């Protein structure tokens, strides 16, 4: 409501996270190493949309230029600790915003 043309919240959070991840890797001398980013599967359309944003950002549309990140999807049944933590953080935010 605040913005005439609000950005996609997933794209905004994705670029925020990827840029900060790259900065952290750079600070630790690991910016050239391939890094795999794991995303929880949400559905075909949602996954495709996220992949388009990921490729655009990693292709150079960010503050650093091309990023050496690779995208992987994991199903909810994978039960990875990182995905569980992300769910714990994101779910209350989503409930508050809808």
């Amino acid at each position: 409501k605040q913005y005439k043309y609000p950005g996609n919240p997933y794209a905004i959070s994705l670029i925020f996270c990827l840029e900060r991840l790259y900065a952290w890797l750079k600070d630790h001398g690991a910016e050239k190493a391939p890094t795999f980013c794991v995303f929880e599967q949400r559905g075909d359309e949602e996954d495709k949309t996220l992949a388009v944003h990921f490729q655009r950002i990693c292709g150079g549309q960010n503050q650093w230029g091309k990023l050496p990140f690779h995208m992987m999807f994991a199903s909810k049944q994978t039960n990875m600790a990182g995905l569980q933590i992300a769910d714990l953080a994101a779910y209350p935010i989503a409930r508050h915003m809808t």
Side-chain angles (χ1 to χ4, degrees):
K1 294 177 185 179
Q2 182 177 352
Y3 299 99
K4 186 173 182 177
Y5 301 109
N8 179 309
Y10 291 111
I12 293 168
S13 60
L14 182 61
I15 193 167
F16 182 88
C17 292
L18 292 176
E19 285 179 343
R20 275 134 197 92
L21 173 59
Y22 186 76
W24 187 87
L25 291 170
K26 193 170 174 58
D27 287 348
H28 291 83
E31 73 273 13
K32 293 183 180 169
T35 302
F36 291 87
C37 300
V38 181
F39 299 88
E40 186 176 83
Q41 292 174 328
R42 295 290 180 183
D44 289 341
E45 277 307 306
E46 294 86 353
D47 294 351
K48 286 178 191 175
T49 300
L50 184 63
V52 167
H53 289 302
F54 184 87
Q55 293 303 324
R56 178 182 51 79
I57 293 165
C58 290
Q61 291 187 18
N62 65 77
Q63 70 174 336
W64 297 105
K66 289 193 175 199
L67 301 176
F69 301 146
H70 303 280
M71 178 179 239
M72 294 176 59
F73 285 98
S75 72
K76 281 188 174 288
Q77 289 73 33
T78 305
N79 202 23
M80 296 173 67
L83 294 177
Q84 295 296 326
I85 292 169
D87 273 347
L88 288 171
Y91 185 70
I93 295 168
R95 285 200 52 183
H96 177 75
M97 298 306 295
T98 55

